[in-house]
Amino acid sequence: MRQKPRLHLPTSLFWATNGATLDNNPSRGNRAGGITTIWEKSLGAVLKSGTTPLNDVVGYAEPVTAPGLTFMDTPGYDPVSATGMVAGGANLLAFTTGRGSLFGSRPVPCLKISTTSGLYDRMRGDIDFDTGPAMSHTGQLTYGTVLFEALVDMTSGTGSKSEALGFGTEEIVPWRMGAVL
């Protein structure tokens, strides 16, 4: 993995300079869903990467040039994060949601994935894929294959439910310097 020089403020100074504290995140919706700290939220993000080795780390909106799993330093706010990934060259977004974010992305196709069947049932008109049934190893293999096929279909022109609803036309939100909660 290549190393890039970066200017980093100590976390406490960064937050204090921007008039924020780490307890402002996770969001109200995350808290309602049972997440109590930013650390728990971050562990959930780590789990989404699976067991593939991390091959590269890039800054916000930097091009992704290494093959394999690359981490982009983005804030957790969905539209800002997605804008950075698109600017870095993403041509498909696989967007997982545990609480039902009304996010869509017009610049590139975005397959919205629910983490539970209950969420999928409540938001059937906006979520493209239900991972709720993938609770066993066999289910993960089966639904992983179906998810891969859905991603291929979307890159081949199948529209997302968010696109059909018109979501995503205002979702280009560059990261302004400062704290994004």
Side-chain angles (χ1 to χ4, degrees):
M1 181 176 10
R2 64 186 167 151
Q3 297 292 324
K4 295 183 180 177
R6 295 177 196 270
L7 175 62
H8 285 290
L9 293 174
T11 302
S12 58
L13 178 59
F14 177 82
W15 289 96
T17 301
N18 289 284
T21 61
L22 276 175
D23 63 351
N24 286 338
N25 199 348
S27 69
R28 205 174 326 187
N30 291 145
R31 290 182 194 274
I35 294 175
T36 61
T37 68
I38 189 64
W39 312 113
E40 288 175 351
K41 184 174 183 176
S42 296
L43 287 172
V46 168
L47 288 173
K48 290 177 185 177
S49 68
T51 58
T52 300
L54 179 63
N55 289 330
D56 198 9
V57 175
V58 298
Y60 183 77
E62 288 182 2
V64 175
T65 57
L69 178 63
T70 297
F71 176 86
M72 180 180 283
D73 183 12
T74 73
Y77 182 51
D78 303 335
V80 177
S81 179
T83 299
M85 289 185 272
V86 171
N91 52 31
L92 171 68
L93 299 177
F95 180 81
T96 57
T97 180
R99 299 288 299 160
S101 177
L102 294 175
F103 172 79
S105 177
R106 281 287 174 89
V108 299
C110 179
L111 186 86
K112 194 178 299 181
I113 305 163
S114 71
T115 56
T116 66
S117 294
L119 174 62
Y120 180 77
D121 290 341
R122 286 189 304 278
M123 297 186 69
R124 195 174 287 268
D126 184 36
I127 294 182
D128 302 291
F129 194 85
D130 176 18
T131 61
M135 291 296 118
S136 67
H137 179 69
T138 303
Q140 289 171 6
L141 295 175
T142 300
Y143 279 86
T145 300
V146 175
L147 175 58
F148 177 78
E149 291 168 356
L151 291 166
V152 170
D153 289 346
M154 188 161 284
T155 60
S156 300
T158 300
S160 71
K161 291 182 180 178
S162 290
E163 286 178 281
L165 292 169
F167 293 160
T169 56
E170 291 89 28
E171 296 289 358
I172 304 224
V173 184
W175 189 3
R176 295 184 190 137
M177 292 308 292
V180 176
L181 302 174

